[in-house]
Amino acid sequence: MPTAIEIFKHLPKKNCGDCKYPTCLAFAMQLANNKAKLDDCPHLSEAGRNALARSSAPPIRLVKVGAGGDAVEMGDETELYRHDKRFFHPTAFALRISDDLSDRDADARVEHARSLRYERVGQTLKMDLLELECRSGSPEKFLRFVTRVAAACDWPLVLRCSDPAAMSAAAEAVKERRPLLHPADGEDLEAMAGVAKACGCPLVLADAELGKLADLVERTRKAGVEDLVLDPRPDNLKELLERCTIIRRSAIRKTFRGLGYPIYVSVPAGKDGMLMASTAVMKYGSLLAFEELPASNALPLMVLRQNIYTDPQVPIQVKPDLYPINNPGPDSPLLFTTNFSLTYFTVMSDLEKSKVPVWLQVVDTEGLSVLTAYSAGKLTAESVKAALDASGAKESARTGTLVIPGMVARMSVKLKEATGLEIIVGPKESSALPKFLRS
Amino acid sequence: MEVPVPKERWTGSIGEMELGGSEEKGGSRSPLRLGGNRGLPFLSFEDPERRTVALAGFVADSLEDVPGPVRKAFGEAVNDPVSWAKDWTARGADLICLHLTSTNPEEGDASPESAADTVMAVLKAVRAPLIVYGSGHEEKDAKVMERVGERARGERLLLGHAEEGGYKSVAAAAMANGHSVIGFSNLDINLAKQIVILLTDFGVGRKDVVLDPLMAALGMGLEYSYSVNERIRTSALAGDSVLQVPIICDCTSAWKARESTDDVPHAGDTLERGIWWEGTTALAALLSGADILVLGHPGSMDIARKAVDGLRGDA
Ligand code: B12
Ligand code: SF4
């Protein structure tokens, strides 16, 4: 948001009070603090409205690909360093499939993309889009391919094709899906922008020189397309890191509109590709299109994305409560753990593996792991007792014992005093729980 | 169109330091120069000078804590720290990170003298500078470090590690014999400052301190480490002189994250995944400010090397 004075310059200066503020200046001050809406002033000129809308736009435009529930949102980031607040829109992952493949091979790639899906700490990690590439050079073939894959898979799409005529036919066929079109570079810019405009699709502009990229942005916006994504075409890690950093910084630090858009990166196969992808996840990449993504690389990459995009102020947590696992009864053992998602899900999966019916009391430690919570004074005899009382655990589990994490054996005596339960010190690692519970 | 060059206005720089003692200084190796950075990692438009990032190979003198895939990768060599260290240098390690775990009173309880023998043997066998850790047992480490420090005088070891609770013995062992020290702190920028202040107040020179802010592995708190490292580095560059020291990140913790090697459906070959788990942890350390990485698996070292070369524009 611009300052109150900058806003004031564009207001009608009638001081009529129709906005419910006594003066235009008072209204400007409310606007600057996000406490009023531009529309509250009925006398604003068209020129004034446009100027204000532009200057109050976010430094990086929010661009949506796809339609409906699983549409991918990217951009609208406000930070260079995640610790200053957080990163908002996790890097989207697309697997590339080209139209020179047989139907069978293409289907297998769609299946592969779907199979890269993991449940982790209560969230689903997965691929987000398919990128459909024209390699055949034949508009008919590309159109048939896009229509076929689009019918088989309802994910958001990227269409990658450098021939405007072929792109036009394919984009027209799937335009309700709001695919992202790639690429528009120097030569065919106007033609591609025309396709994007006609189909109402977002468009990727590509150039290795950032100055030229900013020129492309200006030309495309003049042609009436605003939903843009930038492909700075890095060939190696250094170019990737530096170009992405310059784009992000000039948008955030200098409010430079020419580069205020999400970033697209094409990821080659092999080790280099995996390093580029990981770097882009940490350093401002919005959408990665993978030539290949082997299963052994997918999980580390998706966990990295999950880590980098969590809110630094709020660890991922589960609800503190008493959880029945494997259908426990009154004679089943009672155990406790913390409400840090990683801790809870690790312990829970080990308990499920054991097949032994148990009660698991999750203690509110504000999302901290066992040792961290203990060191921070958030996992105490009192907090465990409070959790057991709140959930009525002692009514459900009647053995009169409590199994505690081996790492906090030190708590035993105090816990016994506080809860009146016999304390059994469990293993340090929950992976040893199945064996422990069976004996 | 002209793109505004968005340089951050840094006023500070990371202090320069040397690891490994040259012959002139009573040692027997070619020293490794670290630090000097004036901008965030690998941004040549901010800091045109090319910097060293050193990759250290993990070696231990007992196998208690060594992850299975790491043992396998080195075969027989893991039974002898000297062969293990040689193997690492043949694979391009810049440094050796030697853990004297055999000295742990609860396990082998090897004597300080025999630990020092191991250190001297490794020093003799390789030209690379050495990082040396004890077993993590506070009282025993004090004796081990004292003896190791004396025997390796002049070799300018990097001794690990000094913690807020007990830093004096390691610091003394370093100061008396011209070695440097790792100041360890727990994922917190203020604790990081605290340990540097404690060490320098005690008499250790700023050029003799490397900071270990605890590199949590991928999926095990990497997000905390990434941001703590980044905050330490940006504060240093913004002029906080206490934090203007190189950073060391031990990435071997990746093998302790169960997801790195557990059987997970659709997550591919476990060894390949484990290597990337450590490699990805290493890359996060590099981009957030690490000057030294400690790596366990040779495959991860290859990845880290590729990353460093690529980010420097050498690849
Ligand atoms: C990430 C991390 C943090 C993060 C917090 C992450 C979080 N949300 O919890 C941050 C940066 C905030 C942090 C802070 C601190 N941390 Co911290 N942290 C870690 C780290 C690197 C990983 C912790 C983790 O996620 N573990 C994974 C989970 C799954 O482990 P877990 O909860 O213990 O669960 C396992 C077992 O306990 C067991 N288990 C769990 N439940 C149950 C139940 C039963 C019945 C059984 C039998 C077993 C069982 O099975 C699980 C899987 O094996 C560890 C070091 C390490 N590598 O372990 C240090 C560590 C835990 N932290 C430590 C400390 C001291 C702190 C601080 C006090 C330091 C400080 N800065 O002041 C603060 C306190 C926090 C505060 N004041 O807010 C110390 C604890 C020392 C000790 N031995 O008591 C550790 C061990 C680091 C160290 N080596 O010094 N930390
Ligand atoms: S309604 Fe518009 S013109 Fe009237 S006081 Fe408010 S801002 Fe000024």
Side-chain angles (χ1 to χ4, degrees), chain A residues 18 27 246 329:
Chain A
D18 290 349
F27 180 61
I246 291 174

Side-chain angles (χ1 to χ4, degrees), chain A residues 81-82 118 120 242 249 350, chain B residues 8 44 46 227 259 266:
Chain A
Y81 309 111
R82 63 187 286 285
Y118 315 94
R120 178 171 197 279
E242 296 194 338
R249 277 196 192 169
D350 288 327
Chain B
E8 303 272 53
S44 64
E46 196 162 279
S227 289
E259 293 158 284
H266 305 295

Side-chain angles (χ1 to χ4, degrees), chain A residues 80-83 115-116 118 120 210-211 214-215 218 237-238 241-242 245-246 249-250 253-254 256 259 271-272 274-275 278-279 282-283 295-297 299-300 303-304 307-308 310 315 340 342 346 350 353 430-431, chain B residues 1-8 10 40-46 218-220 222-224 226-227 230-231 234 258-259 264-269 272-273 276-277 280 283-284 287 302-303 306-307 310-313:
Chain A
L80 294 181
Y81 309 111
R82 63 187 286 285
H83 57 257
S115 75
L116 302 176
Y118 315 94
R120 178 171 197 279
L210 299 184
D215 291 334
E218 199 171 71
L237 275 183
K238 177 182 156 78
L241 174 70
E242 296 194 338
T245 304
I246 291 174
R249 277 196 192 169
S250 58
R253 287 273 197 261
K254 313 263 177 190
F256 178 63
L259 295 175
K271 271 191 190 156
D272 290 316
M274 176 66 177
L275 284 172
S278 311
T279 302
M282 290 181 269
K283 291 293 177 181
S296 57
N297 287 5
L299 186 61
V303 174
L304 179 67
N307 282 176
I308 292 294
T310 51
F340 181 37
L342 180 64
T346 310
D350 288 327
K353 252 184 248 159
S430 59
S431 53
Chain B
M1 196 182 293
E2 188 93 35
V3 172
V5 180
K7 279 190 211 169
E8 303 272 53
W10 304 122
L40 286 177
F42 305 105
L43 296 179
S44 64
F45 61 87
E46 196 162 279
L218 181 63
M220 281 281 283
L222 176 137
E223 67 274 36
Y224 295 98
Y226 184 83
S227 289
E230 203 166 58
R231 285 185 65 195
T234 49
R258 283 165 58 189
E259 293 158 284
V264 177
H266 305 295
D269 179 65
E272 181 68 15
R273 174 163 22 103
W276 274 109
W277 214 269
T280 306
L283 184 63
L287 289 177
D302 290 345
I303 288 170
K306 218 173 182 12
L311 288 165
R312 286 165 48 118

Side-chain angles (χ1 to χ4, degrees), chain A residues 11-12 14-19 21 23-24 27 41-43:
Chain A
L11 295 179
K14 288 162 78 146
N15 298 329
C16 66
D18 290 349
C19 56
Y21 296 97
T23 60
C24 295
F27 180 61
C41 168
H43 310 296

Side-chain angles (χ1 to χ4, degrees), chain A residues 315 335-337 340 342-343 346-347 367-372 375-376 378 403-407 410 426-430 433, chain B residues 184 186-188 191 214 216 220-221 224 258:
Chain A
L335 301 80
F336 84 79
T337 190
F340 181 37
L342 180 64
T343 302
T346 310
V347 174
L368 294 180
S369 74
V370 172
L371 271 188
T372 313
S375 305
K378 304 249 158 76
V403 181
I404 71 169
M407 304 264 202
R410 288 166 278 188
K428 286 192 171 160
E429 302 273 334
S430 59
L433 269 171
Chain B
F184 171 83
N186 208 311
L187 284 168
D188 183 304
L191 295 180
L214 197 167
M220 281 281 283
Y224 295 98
R258 283 165 58 189

